[in-house]
Amino acid sequence: RTIIILFVTVIGFRVYTVGQLLLEFYQRGSSLENYCDVVHMPCIAVEFIKKTKLEGRMLNYYTWGGYLIWNVPEYKVFVDGRIPGGGIYEEFDKIVHLESSWQEILDKHHVGWILFPRYTRFEGLLVKNGWKQIYVDTLSVILVRNASESANFK
């Protein structure tokens, strides 16, 4: 009986959450950009990636991994929600928290470009270290390793 109550509660919460997202989407207007803002996924950035055919290894934001696997399967994600800890996640965590080895980890994995949320300390530090911003919207930013690599579109 307790499990049934818990199950109904969880399902009810999910339905409520989806309803809230749909309501917010409807109230903002039904454009792709508004949808992306509501669900906090880099939809518009993904369209840019498809259009420009970025080359090289990507470093992506952890919570966007599954979305990227689904929408741009030709690009290998660095991390996604299936990686709960260990190895690559620990390296990702060191990068995001700007531990002393963050640059060496990017080099080790031959990261050529990064898709991350806007307004992070990480974004500013990358620009200061020679990375170039080639795309920006209200939610996300794409940076390439250096100016010469920004021309490496197919």
Side-chain angles (χ1 to χ4, degrees):
R1 181 172 165 101
T2 303
I3 292 188
I4 292 172
I5 292 170
L6 180 62
F7 178 75
V8 169
T9 303
V10 168
I11 294 299
F13 180 73
R14 290 276 185 182
V15 169
Y16 172 78
T17 302
V18 169
Q20 289 298 106
L21 288 173
L22 289 173
L23 178 61
E24 186 176 346
F25 176 58
Y26 175 76
Q27 289 172 339
R28 287 186 182 199
S30 56
S31 71
L32 179 61
E33 188 169 3
N34 287 335
Y35 170 78
C36 298
D37 286 343
V38 169
V39 297
H40 303 289
M41 290 294 160
C43 312
I44 308 297
V46 164
E47 293 304 312
F48 174 82
I49 292 166
K50 289 177 180 178
K51 182 179 132 199
T52 57
K53 296 180 173 51
L54 288 171
E55 294 180 347
R57 182 83 195 272
M58 166 181 55
L59 173 69
N60 61 283
Y61 193 58
Y62 178 78
T63 58
W64 293 347
Y67 178 82
L68 294 168
I69 289 169
W70 183 261
N71 286 282
V72 281
E74 62 273 23
Y75 291 96
K76 183 178 178 184
V77 298
F78 194 87
V79 291
D80 66 77
R82 300 173 297 174
I83 304 170
I88 197 77
Y89 179 78
E90 288 177 5
E91 289 182 317
F92 173 79
D93 201 48
K94 287 178 182 178
I95 294 168
V96 172
H97 291 99
L98 302 171
E99 292 187 16
S100 60
S101 61
W102 72 269
Q103 291 183 62
E104 290 82 22
I105 296 169
L106 292 176
D107 292 342
K108 172 184 166 185
H109 291 283
H110 308 287
V111 171
W113 58 281
I114 296 172
L115 172 61
F116 252 58
R118 289 290 321 272
Y119 310 113
T120 61
R121 291 184 313 143
F122 187 61
E123 176 187 355
L125 187 62
L126 285 169
V127 171
K128 288 180 184 175
N129 280 280
W131 289 70
K132 181 179 178 186
Q133 184 184 83
I134 61 165
Y135 173 85
V136 64
D137 62 32
T138 58
L139 181 67
S140 58
V141 61
I142 298 175
L143 301 114
V144 293
R145 193 174 273 274
N146 60 44
S148 65
E149 288 188 41
S150 66
N152 279 342
F153 302 149
K154 290 181 182 173

